[in-house]
Amino acid sequence: MDIMQKLRAETADQHREIENNSFLTRLSGDLSLEEYIRILEKFYAFYSSFESHLNWKEIKSLSDGTLTGDKRRTPLLEKDLRHFNVQLDRIPRFPPYARSFSFPALMGCFYVLEGSSLGRKMLYPRLSAKFGLNQNEGGAFFYDYGDKITENWTNFCKMLKSKIKTEADKQECAEAAVQTFENINELFKNEQINC
């Protein structure tokens, strides 16, 4: 089984849990602007913690240029939250990532994070229309790579298949992907829905 098949199989339960999260499902339903901002805050808490510990120069080299510092989501979230006048320093980081990752583990994390761009691509038009957002005014995180999202995902998958080949590396990659999904699920698990 190649790494993509293993990742899909190993993360299926966690992926379903995120798709069924009652708070996140509001993104495709009746979401208030307050809830949208809360979702941005939660993602900022996650990405700012995760990305702050990464050596992007090393990642770019190891991923043959597929993953670069311009793929960071924290600046997109900062831009969106500042648009809504949110004070970034009041948002706690979660989970507190403070460790180094092996390359296979890091790729497992990126499998989840790069893959989530595909979901945001589908949600962006609806959120943009509902709240009057664009990539420069409150919608940068969901706009993400714009029309390059599918191309970036395809390139990431090709790179992953070429780099993660041993069974040990595949297992480490899959375990990190599962943990990343679980961290995101934990982040949104206890959110309340305001009806």
Side-chain angles (χ1 to χ4, degrees):
M1 152 178 347
D2 75 19
I3 185 59
M4 296 307 294
Q5 293 167 321
K6 183 170 184 66
L7 286 167
R8 278 190 293 273
E10 297 277 333
T11 63
D13 290 342
Q14 291 77 16
H15 195 261
R16 256 189 310 281
E17 188 176 341
I18 280 184
E19 287 178 340
N20 294 324
N21 177 286
S22 60
F23 192 68
L24 288 175
T25 57
R26 304 271 295 183
L27 285 165
S28 57
D30 187 27
L31 182 76
S32 71
L33 183 59
E34 179 182 275
E35 289 169 325
Y36 174 71
I37 293 169
R38 185 71 183 134
I39 287 170
L40 292 175
E41 289 174 335
K42 289 284 195 172
F43 277 121
Y44 176 77
F46 176 84
Y47 278 96
S48 63
S49 176
F50 175 70
E51 291 180 342
S52 69
H53 297 282
L54 300 181
N55 178 337
W56 286 97
K57 187 175 180 181
E58 181 181 2
I59 292 167
K60 180 179 179 180
S61 174
L62 291 171
S63 69
D64 297 332
T66 302
L67 295 170
T68 60
D70 65 345
K71 297 191 185 291
R72 291 174 57 235
R73 284 7 181 271
T74 303
L76 302 176
L77 287 156
E78 288 172 349
K79 183 178 183 179
D80 290 345
L81 290 166
R82 284 190 180 114
H83 174 77
F84 295 113
N85 298 311
V86 174
Q87 292 180 337
L88 300 177
D89 59 352
R90 71 168 183 77
I91 303 172
R93 291 181 175 191
F94 176 94
Y97 283 104
R99 67 178 182 96
S100 297
F101 292 93
S102 68
F103 184 73
L106 190 58
M107 292 304 98
C109 297
F110 273 108
Y111 166 78
V112 176
L113 305 180
E114 290 295 301
S116 70
S117 294
L118 299 170
R120 290 195 306 273
K121 176 184 179 180
M122 292 185 294
L123 293 168
Y124 176 77
R126 183 191 173 288
L127 295 169
S128 177
K130 179 169 180 134
F131 299 122
L133 309 173
N134 62 51
Q135 68 194 61
N136 296 310
E137 297 176 328
F141 178 67
F142 280 87
Y143 181 79
D144 204 350
Y145 304 134
D147 59 1
K148 294 187 177 187
I149 288 174
T150 304
E151 176 186 345
N152 285 345
W153 174 247
T154 300
N155 291 337
F156 174 76
C157 292
K158 285 179 188 174
M159 181 275 300
L160 201 57
K161 286 179 185 179
S162 73
K163 297 281 187 176
I164 309 296
K165 294 188 174 201
T166 69
E167 291 307 312
D169 284 353
K170 289 177 189 176
Q171 187 59 39
E172 191 174 358
C173 184
E175 287 171 4
V178 166
Q179 185 61 56
T180 302
F181 268 121
E182 288 177 351
N183 287 340
I184 294 170
N185 280 326
E186 181 67 26
L187 189 62
F188 287 99
K189 187 165 48 176
N190 297 317
E191 278 299 315
Q192 299 298 313
I193 296 172
N194 300 322
C195 296

